[in-house]
Amino acid sequence: MMLYLTTFPYQESSCIMGRRDVQIHFLTLLVLYFSVMEERNSTEETPRNNALAQRRSKSYRQSMRSCVEATHLAYTSGLLTALRIPRSRKAPKSCDITKQVDPDQVALLVKKEWQLSYVTPLYQFRHTQLKSYSKQLSAFMVSEKQQGLAIEVGQELGFKVNFSVVLGLAETDKDAETVFIQILSKQVFSAKDDAPKVVWSGWLTCVNGDLDYLRSLPLEFVSLPLFCTRGPESLTVLVKSWFENIFDCCFGPLDINSTNLQWLASLWTGCHPTINIQYLKLVWTLPTLPPMDVTYTVHPQDAWELWDSMRQVDTTEDSISIDEVTGFIKGLQSHFFRHFRIDLSAGSLMQISTALGSSHHSGKIKIASPNYIPTILQLLTECALLKMPI
Amino acid sequence: MSLLKPFSRLTGLNTANILLVENEEQFQQKLADTVVLQEKTVNVNVLARSLPLPMENEESRPRIDLVVFIIHLTSELSFQSAETSLKYLDPGYFQGKVCFLVTSARNVSVPPERLVSVRTLAASLHCPLLCAEDQTTEGVTTAAHRLLAILKVAAGLVPMATSLYLSTLTRCTVPSDIDQQNFE
């Protein structure tokens, strides 16, 4: 078995604690199944319908508190319904999304890194008035830029904003259609006839949102909980403040916690037979002094075999349960421990990436392949709905 | 297998002993110092990384009145090590002499499933679950104050209160899974 281990020299003299980067590439993983089979826990059948949790029969303790999964200090459950964290998901199917969505618009969404935030429901947002929204937003941005700042000649010759609808991403009737926003402006040294370039883009979407929640919203509100942005932070702040003023909503950062990163890793690994993921890279941060980052790259075939051995329920069943996901990650961690005596569960998972996409803990996502967009967006929509304070 | 037994030794006069079990060994020292400073009758603190305690000083070890498991929610390992340490406690401890202390419960990066699993564990063992904040001195002082309240009862220093009685009031419960609108 070939191992490449590179460590960077740690500078003792500097007073700033540097980070040690340890990159380990495994080309082959041997004798992995046996260790994995010992650790396998029994999985019970989890309900396929992940929107409803098991209902207990009449309990004598009638309390107004919502169910345990959603009452946490970082998540507040909605006043209208209690949201539950799903314990199982449908296996992603490769679908040719170009059948539903215009391929040009799909090209706008993939292969770019997006920063995620959540949005509370928008009041009186009409999909029919997108043109007037474009005009209002461009006027707002021009006025904000001119207000109080030193005049920069040439750069802001005026912003042109484009609101457009991306039809076809919404999965159920209750999902609102995705709205795509682009901000174009002329560059400083462009020739007269040059088309303005896109300086900022963003989109609001809701894919397969929780049906109980969406049904319980009053009629004037449109829920598009996931907001993805790409571009300078100053423009993002302006767009958010415009939305907050017009539609009375709130924005907030959406972090992807380690459980959701593990879901993404397993879902992408599960796609390996249909489309080669080329590598599975996981990055952990360990709380040592100085903090150590571990990059763990796994050969795709080995990752897939490990994942397949975790799916001991017959693979004709569609749903993947959280136990299989945690078992998969535990298998990877125990293999690492056997070789390096470093227990990765003492740290936190920061980033995962495959050829199909990558995702970072701070809320960045990049989808490289258009085939699995609905599954990824559904997961992210759930995160956004859970994170929202209402 | 050496179980830690609650009543295998005689008590001392006006003393109370607390065992702080923590895998990372960061918070226990600060907490121990603060507890000793706050109250004069607490003589001895025992710190451990995980159970079982080593056999060497078994004879010199005093009777332990309260066992506190400190779990940092930011790492999975912390919870697992606490779970495995539970096996080394005599069942007599679970009548009010065990407490769970959880840190960084408010941290956004912590997956909520971990807090749920700690709660279910604490509820199944009928133990109290305290949340503490270990980064500031006020947080450490508050946590020490709360532990001291439970410790004094567990050591028998509070008249008319026993640890079993207190545990029925302070133990952790997990609300059952009822749909809010479903009031059948």
Side-chain angles (χ1 to χ4, degrees):
Chain A
M1 175 159 133
M2 300 202 320
L3 264 185
Y4 290 95
L5 178 67
T6 56
T7 50
F8 296 99
Y10 161 53
Q11 283 137 356
E12 213 116 26
S13 55
S14 66
C15 51
I16 304 164
M17 295 283 229
R19 278 178 173 247
R20 278 184 293 174
D21 281 338
V22 177
Q23 291 192 328
I24 295 149
H25 297 263
F26 284 93
L27 292 190
T28 56
L29 297 174
L30 298 175
V31 295
L32 200 46
Y33 311 128
F34 307 110
S35 66
V36 156
M37 280 180 191
E38 283 148 22
E39 297 169 26
R40 233 187 272 159
N41 306 321
S42 64
T43 55
E44 59 250 307
E45 289 290 321
T46 43
R48 286 180 65 149
N49 186 357
N50 59 10
L52 297 171
Q54 312 258 352
R55 288 192 191 213
R56 307 270 165 84
S57 55
K58 285 184 246 189
S59 164
Y60 62 93
R61 236 185 302 182
Q62 304 267 356
S63 64
M64 281 298 285
R65 284 177 294 176
S66 46
C67 70
V68 65
E69 277 113 309
T71 48
H72 291 296
L73 304 163
Y75 294 171
T76 48
S77 61
L79 289 175
L80 307 167
T81 52
L83 289 174
R84 290 151 177 96
I85 300 171
R87 291 184 60 81
S88 75
R89 283 177 206 282
K90 277 215 159 71
K93 286 196 198 45
S94 163
C95 60
D96 191 10
I97 194 150
T98 52
K99 292 202 190 82
Q100 296 164 277
V101 187
D102 188 21
D104 297 328
Q105 291 182 319
V106 171
L108 288 172
L109 303 179
V110 297
K111 294 199 176 50
K112 296 193 181 77
E113 192 176 65
W114 301 99
Q115 177 72 40
L116 300 174
S117 357
Y118 66 82
V119 193
T120 56
L122 304 164
Y123 183 63
Q124 287 189 343
F125 180 86
R126 306 259 181 275
H127 283 89
T128 47
Q129 293 190 355
L130 293 182
K131 276 221 167 1
S132 82
Y133 293 154
S134 321
K135 294 200 190 90
Q136 287 175 32
L137 181 55
S138 57
F140 178 79
M141 295 193 66
V142 170
S143 68
E144 285 289 319
K145 283 279 176 180
Q146 286 174 347
Q147 199 188 66
L149 294 175
I151 312 250
E152 293 165 18
V153 180
Q155 174 68 21
E156 281 85 37
L157 288 180
F159 287 104
K160 186 164 160 319
V161 179
N162 241 346
F163 271 70
S164 53
V165 175
V166 180
L167 290 167
L169 275 182
E171 293 267 315
T172 64
D173 306 327
K174 284 283 163 194
D175 290 337
E177 292 293 342
T178 307
V179 176
F180 192 82
I181 309 166
Q182 270 178 326
I183 298 182
L184 307 115
S185 95
K186 277 200 190 305
Q187 296 303 305
V188 179
F189 295 110
S190 61
K192 262 233 155 90
D193 297 325
D194 264 2
K197 272 182 61 181
V198 177
V199 291
W200 185 93
S201 47
W203 42 299
L204 289 156
T205 182
C206 176
V207 176
N208 231 338
D210 189 53
L211 284 172
D212 288 335
Y213 177 77
L214 292 176
R215 275 191 211 122
S216 63
L217 284 178
L219 287 171
E220 306 87 45
F221 284 93
V222 172
S223 173
L224 285 163
L226 190 65
F227 184 47
C228 314
T229 59
R230 180 187 151 82
E233 183 62 27
S234 55
L235 292 178
T236 312
V237 166
L238 284 177
V239 174
K240 283 186 183 172
S241 57
W242 181 77
F243 267 95
E244 282 173 3
N245 286 336
I246 303 289
F247 300 113
D248 193 24
C249 58
C250 286
F251 285 82
L254 183 65
D255 288 338
I256 309 181
N257 64 20
S258 65
T259 312
N260 289 315
L261 286 175
Q262 290 175 9
W263 270 115
L264 282 173
S266 343
L267 291 176
W268 274 326
T269 312
C271 302
H272 181 66
T274 13
I275 175 168
N276 186 6
I277 61 175
Q278 285 169 23
Y279 57 88
L280 171 66
K281 190 165 90 148
L282 305 128
V283 178
W284 265 276
T285 303
L286 295 173
T288 52
L289 287 166
M292 181 156 78
D293 289 330
V294 174
T295 306
Y296 181 179
T297 309
V298 182
H299 189 266
Q301 188 58 33
D302 300 319
W304 190 75
E305 281 166 4
L306 175 60
W307 174 241
D308 198 37
S309 67
M310 278 287 122
R311 304 263 289 131
Q312 70 263 36
V313 188
D314 51 305
T315 45
T316 53
E317 252 218 37
D318 241 354
S319 61
I320 306 176
S321 82
I322 183 86
D323 299 320
E324 290 166 12
V325 174
T326 38
F328 175 61
I329 299 291
K330 275 206 184 73
L332 291 173
Q333 287 175 346
S334 65
H335 180 82
F336 193 87
F337 183 70
R338 191 175 305 120
H339 286 278
F340 295 102
R341 313 308 285 182
I342 296 178
D343 198 340
L344 288 171
S345 60
S348 41
L349 183 57
M350 282 288 160
Q351 185 182 357
I352 57 144
S353 61
T354 65
L356 291 177
S358 70
S359 171
H360 192 272
H361 166 77
S362 62
K364 295 197 185 40
I365 182 113
K366 178 172 164 185
I367 306 175
S369 149
N371 291 343
Y372 294 100
I373 284 186
T375 324
I376 310 295
L377 289 185
Q378 179 184 336
L379 197 153
L380 295 174
T381 311
E382 269 167 17
C383 292
L385 281 175
L386 279 171
K387 192 92 197 289
M388 267 188 337
I390 183 92
Chain B
M1 186 150 78
S2 58
L3 290 179
L4 195 60
K5 291 190 171 37
F7 299 113
S8 55
R9 265 158 243 229
L10 293 175
T11 63
L13 189 62
N14 276 342
T15 57
N17 300 311
I18 184 170
L19 170 64
L20 298 168
V21 181
E22 182 194 353
N23 194 36
E24 282 82 15
E25 295 173 332
Q26 305 162 350
F27 188 34
Q28 47 184 200
Q29 189 58 49
K30 286 192 277 187
L31 199 53
D33 295 337
T34 320
V35 168
V36 170
L37 279 175
Q38 279 201 2
E39 179 60 57
K40 304 301 174 280
T41 57
V42 178
N43 287 358
V44 176
N45 292 309
V46 182
L47 303 178
R49 191 148 177 237
S50 64
L51 297 174
L53 297 175
M55 300 284 286
E56 294 86 50
N57 43 0
E58 179 111 23
E59 297 311 314
S60 57
R61 201 181 301 134
R63 176 173 119 154
I64 302 215
D65 297 307
L66 181 65
V67 180
V68 181
F69 288 98
I70 301 178
I71 298 178
H72 293 277
L73 285 180
T74 41
S75 82
E76 184 70 34
L77 185 61
S78 200
F79 175 53
Q80 280 164 0
S81 129
E83 259 188 314
T84 47
S85 301
L86 282 172
K87 294 198 285 272
Y88 296 99
L89 277 185
D90 187 73
Y93 267 107
F94 292 104
Q95 291 172 341
K97 291 183 188 280
V98 173
C99 175
F100 286 91
L101 187 70
V102 154
T103 64
S104 35
R106 284 191 291 200
N107 198 330
V108 171
S109 58
V110 163
E113 292 87 16
R114 239 172 251 164
L115 183 57
V116 171
S117 37
V118 176
R119 276 184 87 173
T120 42
L121 179 67
S124 66
L125 297 169
H126 301 292
C127 300
L129 174 70
L130 303 177
C131 294
E133 206 246 286
D134 58 339
Q135 305 291 335
T136 62
T137 43
E138 294 91 33
V140 177
T141 321
T142 316
H145 193 70
R146 295 171 79 186
L147 281 183
L148 206 51
I150 305 179
L151 175 63
K152 283 206 260 198
V153 174
L157 297 170
V158 176
M160 307 303 284
T162 61
S163 54
L164 186 58
Y165 176 61
L166 185 66
S167 76
T168 57
L169 300 174
T170 56
R171 68 181 194 196
C172 181
T173 51
V174 175
S176 57
D177 198 6
I178 306 175
D179 200 13
Q180 261 184 332
Q181 292 127 357
N182 195 10
F183 285 126
E184 290 171 303

